[in-house]
Each structure stands twice: as structure tokens, then as C-alpha cells.
Amino acid sequence: MTTRWREQQISGVTELTTRYVAWLRLPLLVPVLLAALEPTESLKTPWFHGTLVAYAAWAVARLVAVHRYPRAGAHGAVCAAAIDVVAVGVLSALSGGPDSAVRYAYFVLPMASVLWQLPVVTAWLGAACMAAYAAMALPHLLSDAAPAVWPVVIDEAYLLWDVGAGVLIAALLERRSSRVVELLDTREALLRNALDAESRERAVLADALHDSAVQNLLAALHELEEAAEDAPSTALARAEGEVRGTVRELREVIFDLHPQVLASVGLAAALESAGEHAARRGGFTVHDDLRLDGRVRGQTLLYSAARELLANVVKHAGASNVWVTLARDGDDTVLTVRDDGEGFDTDVVRQRMEAGHIGLASHYVRIESAGGRFTVDSAPGRSTTVEVRLPYGAEDTNTVP
């Protein structure tokens, strides 16, 4: 797993966490609104209701923004947390200070930051909540009698415990995530070693077939051609045709085992060649839309998946047309194979995987292990579309499984 891939994974988690936090902010408005409906004179002020409406509008705008611009980054998240702390402090101050039910929001904000799995961030946010709570309560403490101090101290103690629990949970989640990343590293290393070993065996077999079986057949074909020139006969012509067909089939097998075109000119040319081979075997027309030229990171995995998908079309789809697309989509390289065949029930595929039919399952695992996604959209009686997404920075094994 490369550093670039790890950063993309962490970035993806951050984007998802940002969205979760933005969604959690909206339910927080409900208890604050209920506090506004409490029959207390201090809550019935235009400033309180105006501030609450402004905070709700900002919360909705923030939710829309993180979905439209997911890569807001940590700076945007810190600014949003600061706005939360300030908004809760202002609403609490406008609704009775330490006696307001709005103050309980301070106990909620640090727990939301646990989703980031960053203990330092949770600690800083908790400290900000405690400081803001103290600043909000200070004017009331200065104007009230001394016994009013004790409830504030108790609230601060509970808030301190809440922050400590949040920091502990965030640390445990961070530790678990680190362990998961280590396991993924190990899994990918094992996968890469397995692919390398398999590719070496395929290359050895391809070379052996080319250097021995194909050469022997070509020599036999030359002898048959000379014999046919000296004494033409139907039997010799038939034997010559069979040998030619066998040589052609062996060359296709050699190409499937170890296509040199992938290593020499890149993924697009290899996909085009694989599509032509599949079209001859399956009797369908291939429509290529290959927008990436030359070598592509992760091209070995993508080519291997495409070859398996085309083989499935030949065996099972009964298609007349197949569309193969290769393009960039953001930070992903996207391979799509679509056919107009009979379709199938995707649940059957999962059952076949569980039963030990590992053809498609092995490619699914390889793509997922490299940080990609393998999705199948099909149903009986309609076309099938398979999309393979791989991070543009994914490691390439430089082998063809």
C-alpha cells in the first residue's frame, strides 16, 4: 500500500466523517429549539430566536457545502467546530446562562468530534467547550450570590469527564484504524506476491509453449506444405488446415497467458486486443472508448479484470454488442464493461463465490485490496454493466495474472 494510496484512504474517511458531523449538527438543533419553547421569560427574546435561526441556516448551508465540495479539509472542520462552540455559548448566554437548558449542548459537541478519530482534536474542542462554558457563566456568577458557583463547578466536572471519555474513545478508534491499515498492508503484500508468482508461472508456460509446441507445429506445417507440393492430396490439405488452426489457437492461449502488448504499449492497446480476441470467440461486436493512452498505474489489475469479464461475456451473456470504456474520473481510473446480453441475478454470483467459484471473486478481492471498487449491475433479461474503479495512484504489480 503506497503512501499516496494511504493518503487517499484517509482523505476519503475525512470526507465521510465531515458529512456525518454535518448531519449530526441538525438533530442538535432540536433540543435547542425545545429549550427555546421552555416557558421562561429569558428565552422569549428576539436576539435568541434570531441567533437560533441564523445558526440553523448556517448548519444547513454547511451540510450542503460538504456534499458539494467534499474536500473542504481540516481547516473547514476546525472553523465549523469553532462556530458551534460560539453559537452554543451565545444561545446559552441569551437564555439564562448556567441555568439554560441550551448549555447541555456543550456536552454533545466533543462526542461528535470522536468520529474524526483524532484524540488531539477532541481534546482541543473539549477544552474550548469548557472555556466557553466558563465565559458564558461568568457574568451570571458575578451578579448572583456565591452559592451559584457550585452548580457551574459540577457542570464543568461532568464536562471534563465527557471530554476525557471522548479523547479515550478517539484514541482507541485511531489505534484500531492503524491496526486495520497494517492488516491491509500485509494483505496487499501477500496479494502482490501471489500475483507475481502466478505471473511468473504464466510467463514460463507461455514461453515454453512458444519455444517448443508452437515451433514444433510450425516445423510440421512446413513439412506438410512441402509434402503437399510433391504429392497433393485431400488428407494432406486437411492435416495442414488442422495444424494451422492448432497453431492459431496456441498463439491465442499464449497471448492470454502473457500478453506482451500490455507491457510494451500500455493498457488501452491491451484492452483493444483482448476485446478483439473475445469478439472472435463470442461472435459479438466490441465498441471501445479508451481515453487513457500508454501505461496506467494499476493496469495489471484492470487488464486482468477486463479479461475475466470479457471471458464471462463469451461464456454466458449471449450478447451482440459489448462496450469497453477506460477513463479517468477524479482520482480514479475507471474501467467499464457493458453488454446487451441476457443478464443474470447478482445473488447467484455471490452464491457461486461462496461455493468456491473464485474466477470473478478473485478479481473482486484484488481490486478491493488495492483500494478500489468492483460493482456489478445486472438482472435477468437486461444488460449487464460492471464498473471497476481503482485509485489512480494504486500500485501496479508489473505482472499479468
Side-chain angles (χ1 to χ4, degrees):
M1 185 182 303
T2 63
T3 302
R4 179 182 176 88
W5 187 89
R6 188 194 301 269
E7 291 174 352
Q8 289 175 341
Q9 291 297 92
I10 294 175
S11 175
V13 173
T14 301
E15 294 170 14
L16 190 61
T17 303
T18 301
R19 294 175 182 177
Y20 285 158
V21 173
W23 277 108
L24 285 175
R25 188 177 286 112
L26 297 183
L28 178 62
L29 297 173
V30 175
V32 175
L33 178 61
L34 293 176
L37 299 176
E38 184 181 357
T40 304
E41 289 298 327
S42 60
L43 293 180
K44 299 180 183 295
T45 62
W47 285 107
F48 178 88
H49 293 93
T51 303
L52 180 59
V53 170
Y55 182 50
W58 173 83
V60 173
R62 172 66 179 171
L63 179 62
V64 173
V66 298
H67 279 274
R68 183 172 296 179
Y69 308 105
R71 295 189 177 277
H75 179 72
V78 171
C79 291
I83 293 174
D84 289 330
V85 173
V86 173
V88 171
V90 172
L91 290 170
S92 298
L94 293 174
S95 57
D99 297 326
S100 170
V102 179
R103 75 185 191 278
Y104 294 121
Y106 280 125
F107 295 85
V108 177
L109 293 179
M111 300 309 297
S113 68
V114 169
L115 296 174
W116 291 95
Q117 303 180 29
L118 298 172
V120 175
V121 174
T122 301
W124 277 105
L125 180 59
C129 287
M130 295 182 67
Y133 183 87
M136 175 270 299
L138 184 61
H140 297 272
L141 297 178
L142 295 177
S143 61
D144 292 341
V149 174
W150 197 245
V152 175
V153 173
I154 294 174
D155 281 350
E156 288 279 22
Y158 275 121
L159 183 55
L160 179 61
W161 183 93
D162 185 59
V163 173
V167 171
L168 177 60
I169 295 173
L172 292 175
L173 291 175
E174 182 184 37
R175 183 177 179 182
R176 186 193 66 174
S177 297
S178 298
R179 179 57 178 161
V180 170
V181 171
E182 292 175 1
L183 292 175
L184 288 175
D185 285 340
T186 303
R187 182 187 184 188
E188 185 179 356
L190 293 173
L191 173 64
R192 185 164 52 247
N193 291 337
L195 291 178
D196 288 343
E198 183 180 352
S199 179
R200 286 193 295 269
E201 292 299 323
R202 285 176 172 269
V204 170
L205 180 57
D207 290 340
L209 289 175
H210 180 270
D211 295 338
S212 59
V214 171
Q215 298 304 319
N216 292 338
L217 286 172
L218 289 176
L221 180 61
H222 181 68
E223 295 292 336
L224 288 172
E225 290 174 346
E226 290 185 349
E229 291 178 359
D230 295 337
S233 70
T234 304
L236 286 176
R238 187 166 55 250
E240 183 181 339
E242 292 293 335
V243 172
R244 289 185 186 277
T246 303
V247 170
R248 183 171 58 252
E249 291 174 359
L250 278 176
R251 282 174 171 168
E252 291 187 357
V253 170
I254 292 171
F255 176 86
D256 288 338
L257 285 171
H258 196 67
Q260 297 297 331
V261 66
L262 179 62
S264 59
V265 296
L267 180 59
L271 289 176
E272 185 175 356
S273 181
E276 293 174 356
H277 279 74
R280 286 196 296 269
R281 295 195 299 267
F284 48 75
T285 302
V286 176
H287 307 273
D288 293 316
D289 184 10
L290 309 174
R291 307 173 194 174
L292 299 181
D293 296 327
R295 296 183 58 82
V296 177
R297 295 296 296 271
Q299 65 180 14
T300 300
L301 293 175
L302 292 170
Y303 175 78
S304 179
R307 188 177 59 191
E308 178 69 22
L309 293 172
L310 289 170
N312 285 340
V313 173
V314 172
K315 296 176 184 177
H316 308 295
S320 300
N321 295 276
V322 176
W323 292 264
V324 179
T325 303
L326 179 68
R328 281 286 302 277
D329 182 14
D331 292 332
D332 293 336
T333 302
V334 183
L335 168 71
T336 305
V337 178
R338 180 170 65 89
D339 66 72
D340 60 358
E342 301 173 356
F344 57 89
D345 186 354
T346 55
D347 290 335
V348 174
V349 176
R350 283 190 288 270
Q351 293 171 3
R352 289 177 60 84
M353 290 180 182
E354 294 173 357
H357 300 277
I358 62 172
L360 195 60
S362 64
H363 295 281
Y364 176 88
V365 171
R366 290 166 179 168
I367 296 298
E368 292 285 330
S369 297
R373 284 182 295 170
F374 194 107
T375 57
V376 180
D377 180 19
S378 183
R382 68 175 179 86
S383 63
T384 298
T385 301
V386 179
E387 181 182 88
V388 179
R389 284 181 171 267
L390 202 61
Y392 186 70
E395 283 289 352
D396 194 358
T397 62
N398 292 323
T399 60
V400 182

